[in-house]
Amino acid sequence: MMGMNYCSECGKSVEVSIPEGDNRPRHVCSTCGAIHYQNPKVVVGCIPVWEQQVLLCRRAIEPRYGYWTLPAGFMENGETSQQGAARETLEEACARVDVEGLYTLFNLPHISQIYLLYRSRLLDIDFDAGEESLEVALFHEHEIPWDEIAFPVIQESLRLYFADRNRGVFPLRSGTIERLPGEARRFRILLDDDPA
Amino acid sequence: MMGMNYCSECGKSVEVSIPEGDNRPRHVCSTCGAIHYQNPKVVVGCIPVWEQQVLLCRRAIEPRYGYWTLPAGFMENGETSQQGAARETLEEACARVDVEGLYTLFNLPHISQIYLLYRSRLLDIDFDAGEESLEVALFHEHEIPWDEIAFPVIQESLRLYFADRNRGVFPLRSGTIERLPGEARRFRILLDDDPA
């Protein structure tokens, strides 16, 4: 989280206090009274599919440099979630997709993010590594580098995708991923009830 | 959108420019170099149901003071979308719910918001108007004040809900709501393909 020391409206100091009519601490300007809310960010991305293969990108940036992930990133103002998912796929994998249904929605409350991943169909295989990727490749299910996936939300979405593909149905999958206390990267995945 | 004139980290002036490696204008501090991203906000809420009735709140705040809405509001850092939906229902309607499946996801790109509305079951009918509500009431389908609903996203979600209830299925409904140019409050609703 970025530091919040000064008011972005008037440039004077902010303090942390509970505004009148509110019930939680906010960054409030002690000069002009502006309240600076901080809210979760939406990450949008694709599960790009070509025949039986899924496209993954190997990250050229931190965190998790060198690990594989699905094309995804922060949703921008003024776009829809599908437009954002397609944009990230173009930026990170130079790949054009037809965005289909929403497939997974995961809450990551420990970092105040919400992930929306869409099933999508690659329109061609003229993909290439974008600036934030070391390489981009297609993988059959048995080729997925499970131990080198960047984030648990990506690993779990891929796991669900292949299981549902084998069943032939793609209900919305949703849940929460919690980071467990301690130095090690350990997580707990809580899936919401299967809607099927 | 709040004014972004000063850097919240160091208090000096920000300018609008495209950072290196980026592709769109951001607010960048000309002194310390901090980049201040602005991203869409998530609104979470419930469609609280008691037997055949749906709970609505009459707004005690602007915008749309006096109009009816579903309990919903900005998702907060550190919570899940379901926790946020339940929290807003408690705050605005003093009502306790069991949050069930995600039912509608609407993009509102003209105001950079994404709405997530959950079907939910009222645990009791000891509800009451919260601070942001003038009154709270249960409505049968034929009693819904369609001409006094606060926002098109709420009206469309209610319309879909009653249609799906009559069919006996609740697939995820998603789409985009665009505000049409001009002074009048006119909108275009684009539904994504029916998943059924």
Side-chain angles (χ1 to χ4, degrees), chain B residues 18-122:
Chain B
I18 300 178
E20 194 184 325
D22 202 341
N23 54 21
R24 65 185 66 203
R26 311 285 181 185
H27 290 89
V28 181
C29 179
S30 38
T31 303
C32 79
I35 305 168
H36 301 279
Y37 297 95
Q38 296 184 315
N39 298 93
K41 289 190 197 302
V42 181
V43 176
V44 287
C46 283
I47 304 177
V49 174
W50 180 264
E51 294 170 359
Q52 294 299 302
Q53 299 171 88
V54 169
L55 178 145
L56 298 178
C57 306
R58 202 154 74 87
R59 289 173 65 81
I61 53 173
E62 295 292 351
R64 306 294 277 165
Y65 179 100
Y67 285 78
W68 291 91
T69 191
L70 291 164
F74 290 119
M75 186 174 165
E76 299 278 3
N77 278 357
E79 69 183 3
T80 69
S81 46
Q82 288 100 326
Q83 288 167 347
R87 176 184 51 72
E88 289 289 342
T89 306
L90 186 62
E91 289 177 3
E92 299 186 354
C94 306
R96 290 142 296 277
V97 289
D98 182 15
V99 177
E100 302 178 324
L102 179 65
Y103 178 57
T104 59
L105 183 162
F106 276 103
N107 280 287
L108 282 60
H110 61 289
I111 48 174
S112 293
Q113 291 180 3
I114 185 164
Y115 263 73
L116 302 177
L117 296 179
Y118 286 82
R119 289 187 297 118
S120 67
R121 196 171 52 83
L122 279 165

Side-chain angles (χ1 to χ4, degrees), chain A residues 129-145:
Chain A
E131 284 194 18
E132 298 184 357
S133 303
L134 296 170
E135 57 179 315
V136 175
L138 291 171
F139 294 86
H140 287 282
E141 180 176 2
H142 67 272
E143 299 167 331
I144 297 282

Side-chain angles (χ1 to χ4, degrees), chain A residues 91-121:
Chain A
E91 289 177 2
E92 298 186 354
C94 306
R96 289 143 296 280
V97 288
D98 183 15
V99 178
E100 301 179 324
L102 178 65
Y103 178 57
T104 58
L105 184 162
F106 276 103
N107 281 287
L108 281 62
H110 60 290
I111 48 175
S112 295
Q113 292 181 3
I114 184 164
Y115 262 73
L116 302 176
L117 296 178
Y118 286 83
R119 289 188 298 117
S120 66
R121 196 170 51 83

Side-chain angles (χ1 to χ4, degrees), chain A residues 140-193:
Chain A
H140 287 282
E141 180 176 2
H142 67 272
E143 299 167 331
I144 297 282
W146 292 108
D147 293 338
E148 298 166 48
I149 300 296
F151 307 108
V153 62
I154 302 299
Q155 192 170 49
E156 182 66 9
S157 294
L158 288 169
R159 188 188 72 74
L160 290 165
Y161 175 79
F162 288 114
D164 281 338
R165 193 180 69 176
N166 291 335
R167 299 194 315 157
V169 290
F170 294 104
L172 174 68
R173 297 292 180 181
S174 65
T176 296
I177 298 180
E178 299 174 347
R179 180 161 184 167
L180 300 177
E183 288 293 304
R185 293 184 78 259
R186 291 171 57 238
F187 300 88
R188 175 162 48 199
I189 297 171
L190 302 158
L191 291 181
D192 299 332
D193 288 344

Side-chain angles (χ1 to χ4, degrees), chain A residues 27-83:
Chain A
H27 290 90
V28 181
C29 179
S30 38
T31 303
C32 79
I35 304 168
H36 301 280
Y37 297 95
Q38 295 183 316
N39 298 92
K41 289 190 195 303
V42 182
V43 176
V44 288
C46 283
I47 303 176
V49 174
W50 179 263
E51 294 170 359
Q52 294 299 302
Q53 299 171 88
V54 169
L55 178 146
L56 298 179
C57 306
R58 202 153 74 88
R59 290 172 65 81
I61 53 173
E62 295 292 352
R64 305 294 278 164
Y65 179 100
Y67 285 78
W68 292 92
T69 191
L70 291 165
F74 289 120
M75 186 175 166
E76 298 277 4
N77 278 357
E79 69 183 4
T80 68
S81 47
Q82 289 100 327
Q83 288 167 347

